[in-house]
Amino acid sequence: MSKPLEVALLSAPMSERGPWFSTLRLTRRFAIYAISIFMIFGPLSSLLLWSVAEKWFWPNPFPTQWGFKYWQQAFEGKMLSSLGLSFGIAIVVSIICLVITVPLAYVIARNRIPLKHIVLLIFLLPQAFPQLPVFSNVMVLMYRWDLVGTLTGLILIHLVGALVFSLWTLVSVFQSIAEPLEEASYMLGGSRIYTFFHVVLPIALPGIIASTLLVFLYSLDEFTGSLLIGAPYHITMPVFMYNAAGGYEMQVASVTSVLLMIPGILLLFLLQKYMRSEYLAAFGRV
Amino acid sequence: MRRINAFSLTLKQQLAGAAIAAPALAIVTLLFVYPFLRSLQSSFRSQEGVWTLDNYSEALSIYGGDYLYTLWICGVSLVALIIITAIIGGLLRLGVYPLLEFIFKIPLFVPFVVVGHAMRVFLAPHGTLNSALSITGMFNPDILPSFAFSSLGLVAALVWKNLGIGLLLMLGAFRSVNESMLEAARGMGAGKMKLIWHFLVPMNKGSVGVMAVLTFTSMLGSFSIPAMIGNAGGSQMIMMDLYHQIVYQQNYGVANAIGVLTYIASLGAAIYYLKGVTKK
Amino acid sequence: MGIYIEGLTKAYGKKRGITDINIHLPEGGLTAIVGPSGCGKTTLLRTLAGFHTADEGRILFGSRDVTRISPQGRKAAMVFQHYALWPHMTVADNVGYGLRLQKVPAKERERRVREVLERVEIDTSDIGARYPQHYSGGQQQRIALARALVVQPEVLLLDEPLSNLDAKVRQRLRIGIRSIQQSFGITAVYVTHDQEEALSMADYVILMNDGKVEQAGTPEEIYRKPSTYFTAQFLGESHTLTLKYQGKPQRLVLRSGDALVTPVVDEWGTNAETLERSIAHEEVIEEDGSWVMEGEIRHHLFMGSYYRYMVEIQGQSMFVDDDRLLKPGSCKVTIPTEKAYWFDI
C-alpha cells in the first residue's frame, strides 16, 4: 500500500493546460468514479433494497413498505440452521486444510518431495477443468459409499477445492521465504522440525492466516458440490439462497445474499494489507 | 551440509515427503482425478454398458446449439472483460484512483450464486436498474427491456463476477512495467489510451493470456449464474443442460459426453495454463 | 535553443526537491548536471521534461515558456538510464514510434528511422525483424538515442544514460554520445552522478547539492576554482585534512594526483634529502609555491601503472599516487599552492 503514494508523486500533475483543462480532468475523474461505483454497487444495492422491502409494487422506484420483517423471518426460520451449518463446515474445512496443506506446501516449496511434478499436476487439474461434470460423477461414487447427504460427504467435497487452492497459495508463501534463513538455523544445530517451528512458521504466519481466511470464505460460498452432495438433507447457505431465489422469494433470497456477502467484504476491509494479490489471484480461480 | 536438493533425497526423506503428501493426494485423486477419468469412460458407454459413441451424437444433436451458444457467450464476456479490465487497470497504473482498486476487488468476494441473484434483481424487467431509469423520467418504465432474461444479462453477470480477478491479474502485470518505458512513450505524445493499448497490454501479452484462460474456464464452468439468469426460451448455457441430464434424466452417458465437450473447450486453456505454470 | 531556468522550485519527497534554481544552459552545448544522490538533479531533469510540474519559477526553451506545458508539447526528447526500449516492438518500430504519433507517412518514416540509426552507428539491415533485447547494452543505448533524436527535438535530456554499462563500453559511449550531440548541434542536458563523466563530456557543468546549485561553470573552472568546500571535496579524488594554519584549524582539500611524497629516509637508509627547514609537528609551511607537511607512509596499493600510498598526516589519512615504490616511514608531502584549497571550518 506504499505504492500508490509513489505513483502519485510520479504522475500527479503532468499536463495542465489552463483552467478549462483541469475542469475537464476533474469531470473525467468524477465520471470514472461514478461509472465504477454504479457498475459495482448497482447490483449489490439492489440486494440491500430488496432485503428491507416488505412490499414493493412496480413501478415504484423504491419499496412501498420498508421494514426488517424478512430479516426477522430469516433469523427465525430454517435459514438460521443453514447459517450455522455453513459456518460449522467452513471452520472444519479450514482446520483440516491447515493441518494437511501447511506441511505439504512447505515440502513442495523446498523440493523435498519425490515425483514433485506429478504431484503438482494432480493439484492443478481441479483448477483447469469445470467442476460440475466432475462433481456429478463424485455424486455417483458417494452414493455408492453412502456419503451423499452426510456431513462427511459435504466436508469432503468442499475439501477438494479448498485443498487445491490452499496448497497453491501456501506454496507461494513458503517460496517467498529465503532459504538461507533456514540454513542459518541448521548451521547452528537446529533440527529440521525445530527450524520449521521456530524460523519458518513465524515468518510464514501472515500468509498462512490470509490463506486460511480465504479457504474459510471459499467453503462458505461453495455451491456446486453442496447442491449435489448435501441437498436436500444438509442445506448450506448458498443452496438455501438458491432455493429461495428459485421460488421467487425475493426478499428471503436477498437477505441470505447480504448475509453471504458480509464475511467476504469484512475480510476485504479488515485485512487489506495482508491480502497480497498472489493469494487473491489464487482465490479468484477457484 | 544439510542442504538437500531434489536430486539427492534419501529414502527416509522420500517416505516422509510421501507421508505428508498422502492425505491431500488421496482426497484430490479420489474425489477429482478418479471421477474425472470415470466421466471420460462413462461418456463412451451406453446405459447397457456397451462401448459406443451414441452419447456424443445425442449430446451434440440436442445440445450442439447450446454448446456453441456457451462458447459464444463466454467469448463475448471474455472480450468485454479484457477491454474493461485493461482500461481500468491502465487508468490505475497511470494515475491515482485510490478508491477504485478497492471497489473493483469487491466482486472477488461475492459468491457466484449471489452475483446471479443480484444481477437478476438488478436487471429484471421490474428490477432496480429499470426503476432507477424510470425515476429520471426520461424513459417509459413499461417499455424498458429486460436484460436479466437475455444473453446480455448473462454476459453482464459473468463479466461482473470476474472483474475482481481480472483486474487483479491485469494490474499486477501492469505494475511490473518499468516507469521509464511509459515515460518514453508519454514524452513523445502518447495519451492514456495509447499507453494502454500500445504498451501496457502488448508488453504483458503473457499475463493477459493467463488471465483470459483462467476467466474463460471459470465462465465456462459456472453453473449458478446461468441457473439464476439467462436467455428466456432460447439457447441456454451448457452446464444447465448437464445438470438437467443428471438430476432429471439421470442419463449419465449423455451428461458425461457434455462434460467431456466442456473439458475439450477448457483443454486449450488448461494446456496454456500448465505451460505457464511449469515454466515458472 | 538555450534553456533558461528562473527561480525554479519543486518540492518532491523528503529530500530530492529543488529550490530556487536560476541557470542558463547555452544553446547547442552539452550541460552536465552532477551531484550526489538525492541532490535534486533528477528532479530538475524531470521538471525540464515535464514529468513534474514546477511549484514556482519558469522554464524557457529559447523564448518559449514551457513551464505549464505537458511533456508531449515541450519538443524535448529523453534518454533513460535503463534504455526504456519497448521489448514488444522491433527496433524499427521503437525508433519510428514518435514519428507514427506525428502521423508521418510510412515511407518517410522508414527513411528517417534508417538515417538516424546510421548516424548513431547501428546496422540497419534487419532492424524490422530484430528486437532491442538482441542488442548489447551499448547498442541499446544508441538505439534509445536514435529514438529520441528522430523526432527532431529542440532539447535532448539524458538521465544517467551510461550508468548501466560496464566500464569499457561506458568510456567509448562517452565519446559516441558527445560526437552525436555535436553533429546534431542539439542542446543537451545530461544528468549523472559520475563527476568524471560530467567533467569529461560537458561544455558546462552544474554541480548541485541539497536541491540548490552549488557551483556552475566550465569543467576546468569548476574543477580548478572551487568556490565552496562542497565543490572542492566533491570533484576529483579529493581528501580533506583538518590542519592548523595561521593559528587556527582549517580544512585543506587536495587531490591524490596533485600531491608529491618524498621519503625522508630512502631505501639505503641515508637521508635522501635534508629538509631545508624542519617541519614542526602540527604545522603546515609554505615553501617555493607549495604547501609542505610531514607525514608517514602507512600502506601501499599496487594499482598497475602506479602505486597508491596511504599517508598519515597528523592522524588523518589520505591517498597519494606515485610511480615509484617507496618504503613505509616518514615522508614529506608537498602540493602546489594553487592546487590545494583552504576552507574555514
Side-chain angles (χ1 to χ4, degrees):
Chain A
M1 281 287 102
S2 64
K3 189 102 193 176
L5 182 70
E6 194 183 319
V7 174
L9 290 171
L10 284 177
S11 58
M14 56 161 269
S15 47
E16 289 170 19
R17 294 170 199 158
W20 66 271
F21 192 72
S22 66
T23 350
L24 189 79
R25 275 164 47 96
L26 266 177
T27 347
R28 200 172 60 186
R29 217 176 167 71
F30 178 76
I32 289 172
Y33 271 114
I35 292 170
S36 309
I37 288 171
F38 176 75
M39 253 163 88
I40 299 299
F41 291 110
L44 296 184
S45 61
S46 315
L47 290 180
L48 221 52
L49 272 182
W50 268 107
S51 76
V52 292
E54 290 187 2
K55 284 185 189 138
W56 195 344
F57 296 113
W58 178 257
N60 281 1
F62 288 105
T64 330
Q65 197 180 331
W66 303 77
F68 287 94
K69 191 173 100 193
Y70 286 94
W71 280 85
Q72 275 171 352
Q73 213 175 58
F75 277 104
E76 282 158 6
K78 285 183 193 145
M79 201 221 61
L80 208 58
S81 67
S82 286
L83 191 71
L85 178 72
S86 276
F87 271 85
I89 288 180
I91 290 170
V92 173
V93 167
S94 313
I95 293 171
I96 297 178
C97 245
L98 204 60
V99 173
I100 293 181
T101 50
V102 166
L104 179 56
Y106 175 67
V107 172
I108 289 177
R110 290 292 180 256
N111 289 327
R112 288 191 196 131
I113 189 163
L115 304 174
K116 183 183 160 193
H117 289 288
I118 295 174
V119 173
L120 285 183
L121 189 73
I122 290 174
F123 286 111
L124 269 178
L125 284 178
Q127 302 225 14
F129 292 108
Q131 278 187 341
L132 184 66
V134 179
F135 280 5
S136 57
N137 286 279
V138 174
M139 186 170 76
V140 178
L141 288 170
M142 282 200 172
Y143 266 121
R144 204 178 291 164
W145 300 330
D146 277 333
L147 285 173
V148 173
T150 65
L151 282 178
T152 323
L154 207 48
I155 289 170
L156 281 173
I157 201 80
H158 281 209
L159 271 178
V160 178
L163 280 178
V164 169
F165 157 61
S166 164
L167 188 76
W168 282 106
T169 44
L170 287 177
V171 167
S172 86
V173 169
F174 284 121
Q175 272 171 346
S176 70
I177 299 175
E179 234 177 319
L181 294 177
E182 287 168 50
E183 286 165 349
S185 165
Y186 296 149
M187 298 306 288
L188 295 171
S191 71
R192 188 74 52 69
I193 307 268
Y194 183 92
T195 304
F196 179 76
F197 281 103
H198 287 84
V199 177
V200 182
L201 216 51
I203 303 176
L205 203 61
I208 294 176
I209 291 173
S211 132
T212 306
L213 288 172
L214 292 174
V215 165
F216 177 84
L217 214 55
Y218 165 79
S219 169
L220 203 62
D221 297 347
E222 212 286 343
F223 172 70
T224 313
S226 308
L227 183 68
L228 290 173
I229 308 295
Y233 306 103
H234 294 289
I235 306 224
T236 63
M237 279 284 276
V239 178
F240 181 87
M241 199 241 108
Y242 172 74
N243 289 340
Y248 282 91
E249 298 174 63
M250 282 307 185
Q251 288 90 340
V252 178
S254 301
V255 169
T256 326
S257 297
V258 172
L259 283 175
L260 269 174
M261 280 186 333
I262 289 173
I265 300 207
L266 268 183
L267 275 190
L268 182 60
F269 255 110
L270 298 178
L271 296 169
Q272 266 277 46
K273 63 177 174 181
Y274 295 111
M275 293 292 164
R276 294 185 15 212
S277 7
E278 302 103 271
Y279 314 153
L280 292 182
F283 178 68
R285 268 177 237 163
V286 182
Chain B
M1 272 178 17
R2 289 220 196 188
R3 186 175 179 140
I4 310 294
N5 60 44
F7 307 103
S8 62
L9 290 177
T10 65
L11 186 65
K12 200 176 132 203
Q13 284 161 346
Q14 291 204 2
L15 287 176
I20 287 172
L25 270 180
I27 291 175
V28 174
T29 313
L30 222 55
L31 297 181
F32 200 95
V33 181
Y34 175 54
F36 174 79
L37 296 174
R38 265 180 64 100
S39 74
L40 289 179
Q41 186 210 32
S42 150
S43 72
F44 292 104
R45 283 186 174 239
S46 73
Q47 269 157 331
E48 293 77 40
V50 186
W51 292 99
T52 169
L53 282 175
D54 287 353
N55 294 325
Y56 285 92
S57 55
E58 196 180 335
L60 283 174
S61 68
I62 310 177
Y63 299 120
D66 282 358
Y67 185 59
L68 293 180
Y69 176 73
T70 306
L71 294 182
W72 159 245
I73 289 287
C74 293
V76 170
S77 305
L78 185 60
V79 171
L81 182 74
I82 289 177
I83 292 174
I84 294 174
T85 51
I87 290 177
I88 296 167
L91 288 177
L92 280 174
R93 172 68 182 81
L94 301 171
V96 244
Y97 298 89
L99 260 179
L100 222 53
E101 195 177 338
F102 180 81
I103 291 174
F104 279 97
K105 262 187 197 163
I106 290 176
L108 208 56
F109 292 91
V110 180
F112 275 95
V113 247
V114 174
V115 174
H117 178 60
M119 276 297 170
R120 188 166 68 162
V121 288
F122 186 57
L123 299 175
H126 291 182
T128 338
L129 177 64
N130 285 355
S131 306
L133 287 177
S134 63
I135 297 181
T136 63
M138 288 187 286
F139 304 92
N140 175 357
D142 292 320
I143 55 157
L144 284 169
S146 155
F147 295 113
F149 303 109
S150 67
S151 306
L152 204 66
L154 209 48
V155 171
L158 289 174
V159 170
W160 195 92
K161 171 60 194 164
N162 283 294
L163 276 176
I165 173 81
L167 187 68
L168 205 65
L169 296 172
M170 203 68 111
L171 196 56
F174 285 2
R175 290 231 162 105
S176 69
V177 170
N178 192 327
E179 186 69 32
S180 55
M181 299 224 184
L182 298 175
E183 281 176 356
R186 212 163 67 182
M188 284 180 186
K192 280 201 165 79
M193 285 300 130
K194 282 215 169 72
L195 285 175
I196 293 172
W197 297 110
H198 287 180
F199 295 94
L200 288 175
V201 173
M203 271 179 187
N204 294 291
K205 257 185 266 165
S207 306
V208 176
V210 168
M211 184 275 241
V213 161
L214 290 176
T215 48
F216 185 80
T217 318
S218 134
M219 287 169 178
L220 190 72
S222 101
F223 160 64
S224 41
I225 285 180
M228 294 278 190
I229 53 181
N231 202 353
S235 303
Q236 62 176 352
M237 296 288 275
I238 198 80
M239 285 296 156
M240 296 301 296
D241 300 330
L242 199 154
Y243 186 69
H244 180 80
Q245 281 292 327
I246 291 167
V247 175
Y248 301 108
Q249 310 279 326
Q250 311 218 321
N251 188 344
Y252 281 90
V254 173
N256 282 321
I258 299 175
V260 173
L261 289 175
T262 62
Y263 299 158
I264 293 171
S266 53
L267 193 67
I271 289 172
Y272 192 90
Y273 175 50
L274 280 177
K275 243 169 66 185
V277 170
T278 44
K279 217 186 276 168
K280 265 195 220 158
Chain C
M1 187 75 42
I3 300 174
Y4 301 85
I5 299 171
E6 297 169 359
L8 196 68
T9 298
K10 170 77 189 170
Y12 184 70
K14 274 183 193 146
K15 278 163 95 188
R16 297 180 174 197
I18 48 176
T19 16
D20 195 24
I21 304 279
N22 288 287
I23 36 178
H24 166 222
L25 316 184
E27 178 169 0
L30 192 152
T31 303
I33 304 177
V34 65
S37 67
C39 71
K41 58 186 188 296
T42 302
T43 306
L44 176 56
L45 189 79
R46 295 173 63 83
T47 311
L48 288 180
F51 293 130
H52 300 325
T53 311
D55 296 340
E56 280 165 45
R58 293 204 303 163
I59 301 167
L60 296 146
F61 287 177
S63 56
R64 196 158 59 96
D65 185 342
V66 298
T67 322
R68 302 275 141 199
I69 288 179
S70 69
Q72 293 89 329
R74 293 199 177 188
K75 291 186 191 162
M78 185 138 163
V79 174
F80 297 83
Q81 181 176 358
H82 301 277
Y83 327 131
L85 291 170
W86 303 305
H88 64 296
M89 291 184 184
T90 62
V91 169
D93 288 341
N94 259 285
V95 178
Y97 187 78
L99 297 176
R100 213 170 99 197
L101 286 180
Q102 293 177 3
K103 306 217 160 44
V104 174
K107 268 239 176 75
E108 153 110 13
R109 198 161 72 212
E110 204 195 312
R111 187 184 59 73
R112 280 171 64 180
V113 166
R114 279 187 192 283
E115 187 190 291
V116 73
L117 280 171
E118 270 156 23
R119 284 182 74 178
V120 299
E121 293 168 25
I122 292 288
D123 176 25
T124 56
S125 52
D126 49 359
I127 51 167
R130 290 176 76 186
Y131 289 85
Q133 303 85 284
H134 299 150
Y135 290 80
S136 71
Q139 286 172 317
Q140 288 192 37
Q141 200 53 291
R142 284 175 189 272
I143 296 169
L145 200 58
R147 182 179 67 183
L149 290 170
V150 76
V151 292
Q152 296 171 340
E154 290 173 352
V155 172
L156 180 65
L157 306 171
L158 303 111
D159 184 12
E160 309 226 7
L162 302 181
S163 61
N164 242 20
L165 300 166
D166 61 54
K168 270 189 188 157
V169 181
R170 199 156 59 210
Q171 297 280 354
R172 301 194 58 154
L173 210 53
R174 273 185 199 170
I175 298 171
I177 289 182
R178 180 64 167 145
S179 65
I180 291 166
Q181 180 260 331
Q182 280 172 333
S183 83
F184 278 82
I186 189 170
T187 309
V189 184
Y190 189 111
V191 160
T192 176
H193 66 270
D194 181 346
Q195 40 132 336
E196 193 183 293
E197 208 166 279
L199 294 172
S200 62
M201 289 176 71
D203 297 307
Y204 197 67
V205 176
I206 292 166
L207 175 63
M208 286 186 67
N209 180 32
D210 203 18
K212 296 191 185 74
V213 173
E214 189 78 22
Q215 193 173 344
T218 65
E220 288 81 1
E221 269 168 22
I222 198 166
Y223 187 81
R224 276 300 160 212
K225 295 187 181 112
S227 58
T228 64
Y229 170 67
F230 178 84
T231 311
Q233 59 84 36
F234 185 82
L235 296 172
E237 271 188 64
S238 302
H239 301 278
T240 303
L241 299 172
T242 306
L243 300 171
K244 233 182 183 164
Y245 179 61
Q246 294 176 339
K248 58 173 182 170
Q250 294 196 46
R251 285 187 292 204
L252 177 69
V253 179
L254 41 78
R255 288 158 185 149
S256 298
D258 294 338
L260 186 74
V261 256
T262 323
V264 177
V265 178
D266 77 2
E267 47 200 300
W268 296 283
T270 55
N271 282 6
E273 188 183 340
T274 336
L275 290 176
E276 298 280 313
R277 287 160 56 183
S278 67
I279 308 165
H281 274 293
E282 320 273 314
E283 190 70 26
V284 184
I285 54 169
E286 198 179 348
E287 193 181 79
D288 300 334
S290 289
W291 299 110
V292 182
M293 55 215 122
E294 190 190 36
E296 187 157 330
I297 298 177
R298 292 283 189 194
H299 301 282
H300 76 269
L301 303 164
F302 177 54
M303 304 296 287
S305 53
Y306 59 93
Y307 292 91
R308 171 161 290 178
Y309 294 93
M310 191 176 108
V311 180
E312 198 174 294
I313 298 166
Q314 294 183 19
Q316 304 160 67
S317 55
M318 64 169 289
F319 291 125
V320 179
D321 297 340
D322 202 303
D323 300 345
R324 301 162 299 163
L325 177 59
L326 305 172
K327 277 231 165 128
S330 294
C331 67
K332 191 173 85 170
V333 179
T334 46
I335 180 158
T337 46
E338 74 274 13
K339 290 182 178 175
Y341 314 98
W342 288 98
F343 296 96
D344 292 337
I345 290 180

